Amino acid sequence: MTIIFLLAACSPAAKHLTPAEVAALKPADAHEAELYAHSCKACHAVPGTGAPQVHDAEQWDRRWKKGDDVLLSHVILGFKGMPAGGQCAVCTPNDYKALIRFLADKE
Amino acid sequence: MQVSRRAALIAAGAGIAVAGTGVGGYEVATYEKPEPPSPPLTDKDGHLVWRNWSGIRHSYPSERLAPASDEELGKILKTAPAPIRAVGAGHSFMPLVPTDGTLLSLDQMAGLVRVEGDEVVVRAGTRLGDLGPALASHGRAMANLPDINKQSLGGALATATHGTGKHLPAIHGTVTGLRLVTPQGLVVDCDATKNKDLFDAARVSLGSLGIVSQVRLKTIPNKNLHRRVWLENFEDTLARAEARWNAHRNYEFYAVPFTGLAANITHDETDESPRPRGPETDSQFLEALKGLRNLFGFSTAVRKRIAHSVLMMAEPKAEEAVDQGWKLLSTERPVRFNEMEFHVPAEEQLTALREVVAAIEKHRPDVFFPIELRRIAPDDAWLSPFQGGARGSIAVHCYYKDEYEFLFALVEPILRRHGGRPHWGKLNSLKAADFAGLYPRWKDFNDLRRQMDPGGRVLNPYLKGVFGV
């Protein structure tokens, strides 16, 4: 049975914050907060989208270990379920770096 | 723990597959191809790459701009480096967006402007996922929504994006007025009485007349919908589909190749109290179908027999939910894909589908995604695929890591033979002469386009091919 559920496994939902707390999170910087609201939030603050949820250490820590360059490349070029550019047409590489740090709670 | 029908399907499908083949089978079933090749992050001039949602289109815009007003947008259209192309969520599979000139985002031009009785005025940069709750806060709703909620309203209108329902038009069919900012920097309002030709042309216009910055939409009262999802034999679904389109407000089905099954989905208005839908499980269903493909793709007969048996072993009860339409009609699509979709005359839809399924099951055992069937009411926008009569859509998907080029040789000829018009944002190989034969007002549109954009400032190379420039 374990194998069955491994095969059908999906990303776990955020465990440490309530949905309301997740929905209320936003970057402190106004510019980043605006970009986050227009682009990242639609997936990274909505359980079930497959995206690692904002400030969920369990989901982010193993990704964070890949390093800045790998994460930045995955965001800009797309990776698995992550669409290229995170659907932010006007984000710069520095914006992306700041948003990754915010999402992973590594600010 | 109560196991939902689809969760049971997933477990059954995956379990049988693994039980039949052991740990080695598990590895085969869950095998993931590597990511497709990526373009460089930047070009030789240091411009950052833009790539569409599925990853098959890219470009290196020299400018990326996000105006906050019609005036600012007008200045950009008049003076910024061409081609000037607007992007929303980048969900188009055709190269409508790629530009080495200016990439335009309307994210700063988003939100509900005002409610006018049964109508609402909305800025075109609004994402569909944000529109639902904004309307709901005023007791209003869109009568219909497309499958994915990430698109911008402007992008959805420009490509004639649609939902399903025999009596429900595509989103642009609910537009009663719009504001266009032209390539010459002018701001023009139009509706059925004022600048009517421009209104009929601009409702579906691929960003080729300028940028639609806001629209007035018809809405309906925000009533709860009752959603039902169930599996049944493909042949039974074909026999009952027309009756279901007649009976339900929204009806669609997915033909599941290599299973002999179809997944049916209905939505109907109800006074019942909400029963939320629960976590998204479509991705798990796709994983199970991919696993069956990986394990049994060597034999269509074996794959079909096993898939049909294990998927039908699940409980016979339909999956049901009651909630506001915007929470049910559009879904999250975390699994990326490429897609070809044509809109054929409604009476041709099921015959064409049979041929498509037969062709795929005969020639493409690598396909595992279901094929989506929807019905759309007619409207009178000049470049609307639904102009002139009701259409049935047939959408064939390929996992983003799998080949999709075969669609042009295998599937497109079938859909064209049945009188299909391609979805403007989805894979097709048609050129100007083809479109001229499909749309009675093609010449009128092109004449108006030349008048609005004499310098071709909003045409990228793909659109020049579309319009024969």
Side-chain angles (χ1 to χ4, degrees):
Chain A
M1 285 302 285
T2 305
I3 290 176
I4 292 173
F5 287 109
L6 276 174
L7 187 58
C10 63
S11 303
K15 290 178 180 173
H16 308 298
L17 297 172
T18 66
E21 288 170 331
V22 168
L25 290 169
K26 63 179 182 180
D29 177 84
H31 173 65
E32 289 164 23
E34 199 168 309
L35 296 174
Y36 171 76
H38 281 302
S39 302
C40 322
K41 192 176 179 182
C43 293
H44 288 281
V46 179
T49 57
Q53 297 294 283
V54 57
H55 284 203
D56 185 314
E58 190 178 321
Q59 294 185 41
W60 274 103
D61 283 355
R62 64 190 166 86
R63 291 175 169 86
W64 187 254
K65 286 175 188 163
K66 293 178 180 178
D68 283 356
D69 290 346
V70 172
L71 289 176
L72 181 63
S73 164
H74 286 176
V75 169
I76 294 173
L77 294 171
F79 183 71
K80 295 184 176 176
M82 173 74 188
Q87 302 190 332
C88 177
V90 292
C91 283
T92 66
N94 283 337
D95 292 328
Y96 287 130
K97 286 178 188 171
L99 290 165
I100 294 167
R101 281 196 297 273
F102 164 71
L103 286 163
D105 199 14
K106 304 288 186 187
E107 291 170 294
Chain B
M1 184 182 76
Q2 188 176 356
V3 180
S4 75
R5 175 174 170 78
R6 220 176 308 171
L9 288 172
I10 294 156
I16 291 291
V18 171
T21 53
V23 174
Y26 172 75
E27 288 174 0
V28 172
T30 57
Y31 170 73
E32 265 294 324
K33 291 181 183 177
E35 289 287 311
S38 293
L41 278 173
T42 57
D43 69 1
K44 61 180 172 47
D45 298 317
H47 300 132
L48 192 66
V49 70
W50 171 87
R51 210 174 180 194
N52 77 330
W53 178 76
S54 71
I56 61 170
R57 309 293 180 193
H58 75 276
S59 67
Y60 296 90
S62 61
E63 298 275 354
R64 294 177 184 236
L65 301 171
S69 67
D70 290 332
E71 293 68 29
E72 203 180 331
L73 176 57
K75 280 182 193 164
I76 288 170
L77 283 164
K78 205 172 170 182
T79 60
I84 302 166
R85 298 298 302 159
V87 65
H91 265 274
S92 287
F93 306 100
M94 293 306 288
L96 292 167
V97 169
T99 175
D100 56 9
T102 301
L103 186 67
L104 204 58
S105 163
L106 296 189
D107 279 350
Q108 302 287 328
M109 299 180 70
L112 185 59
V113 177
R114 62 183 176 274
V115 178
E116 297 176 346
D118 290 350
E119 298 186 334
V120 294
V121 176
V122 185
R123 301 181 95 192
T126 308
R127 302 292 172 121
L128 295 180
D130 296 329
L131 183 57
L135 295 182
S137 69
H138 294 273
R140 307 303 299 172
M142 300 287 287
N144 213 350
L145 284 169
D147 186 43
I148 299 176
N149 66 3
K150 300 290 184 288
Q151 298 100 322
S152 68
L153 179 59
L157 295 171
T159 53
T161 295
H162 61 95
T164 188
K166 184 177 179 181
H167 302 291
L168 300 173
I171 298 177
H172 65 265
T174 67
V175 172
T176 59
L178 61 83
R179 177 169 293 169
L180 181 75
V181 184
T182 76
Q184 299 176 73
L186 304 173
V187 179
V188 184
D189 287 317
C190 56
D191 58 29
T193 57
K194 181 180 178 187
N195 299 315
K196 183 175 184 310
D197 277 359
L198 191 58
F199 178 62
D200 289 341
R203 272 178 284 162
V204 178
S205 49
L206 311 170
S208 68
L209 302 177
I211 304 295
V212 173
S213 67
Q214 73 176 36
V215 296
R216 195 170 64 234
L217 298 168
K218 282 183 203 162
T219 62
I220 61 171
N222 185 32
K223 298 189 78 171
N224 280 345
L225 298 184
H226 181 185
R227 172 187 174 88
R228 291 185 78 239
V229 183
W230 73 99
L231 271 181
E232 70 181 8
N233 286 331
F234 178 53
E235 290 297 330
D236 292 340
T237 291
L238 288 181
R240 295 165 185 161
E242 289 297 343
R244 287 173 179 155
W245 268 309
N246 287 329
H248 297 283
R249 200 192 90 162
N250 309 81
Y251 169 65
E252 66 182 310
F253 71 91
Y254 288 84
V256 191
F258 304 101
T259 70
L261 296 170
N264 293 264
I265 305 174
T266 60
H267 290 91
D268 291 291
E269 291 183 3
T270 179
D271 294 325
E272 292 177 65
S273 300
R275 277 182 280 151
R277 186 176 164 192
E280 185 267 347
T281 55
D282 290 354
S283 304
Q284 296 165 287
F285 187 57
L286 288 171
E287 274 300 307
L289 292 175
K290 179 149 65 78
L292 289 163
R293 185 270 314 257
N294 290 356
L295 282 165
F296 304 112
F298 63 88
S299 166
T300 294
V302 171
R303 177 181 177 187
K304 209 165 181 173
R305 195 160 57 243
I306 292 176
H308 188 278
S309 299
V310 299
L311 297 179
M312 286 306 284
M313 274 189 343
E315 60 184 285
K317 199 175 159 192
E319 201 172 289
E320 308 209 26
V322 175
D323 217 326
Q324 297 177 55
W326 66 272
K327 295 182 183 178
L328 296 177
L329 292 169
S330 294
T331 49
E332 302 295 341
R333 283 282 175 258
V335 180
R336 289 189 286 153
F337 52 79
N338 288 300
E339 181 181 356
M340 172 176 283
E341 178 176 12
F342 274 66
H343 310 295
V344 300
E347 62 275 13
E348 297 287 326
Q349 187 177 19
L350 300 181
T351 307
L353 172 65
R354 274 187 192 281
E355 293 179 33
V356 169
V357 171
I360 286 174
E361 291 188 346
K362 183 174 181 184
H363 297 289
R364 297 303 305 199
D366 53 330
V367 172
F368 66 90
F369 258 77
I371 299 168
E372 188 175 20
L373 282 288
R374 288 177 284 175
R375 188 62 61 87
I376 306 97
D379 65 82
D380 59 0
W382 288 355
L383 295 197
S384 168
F386 319 110
Q387 172 277 336
R391 294 255 161 178
S393 70
I394 301 177
V396 184
H397 308 73
C398 297
Y399 187 45
Y400 82 108
K401 293 181 178 180
D402 289 345
E403 288 179 25
Y404 65 88
E405 291 84 355
F406 75 89
L407 293 168
F408 298 108
L410 187 68
V411 174
E412 187 177 81
I414 298 172
L415 299 174
R416 290 203 66 190
R417 196 168 63 247
H418 285 279
R421 290 167 169 161
H423 186 302
W424 284 111
K426 300 188 185 178
L427 296 168
N428 71 86
S429 65
L430 277 65
K431 303 287 186 218
D434 303 309
F435 291 119
L438 290 174
Y439 289 96
R441 302 300 297 269
W442 183 258
K443 182 178 180 305
D444 297 326
F445 184 93
N446 226 348
D447 288 345
L448 188 58
R449 186 197 59 71
R450 275 189 291 269
Q451 187 186 322
M452 302 301 291
D453 184 25
R457 287 183 53 72
V458 293
L459 295 186
N460 66 5
Y462 168 67
L463 282 172
K464 285 182 178 174
V466 166
F467 292 112
V469 176

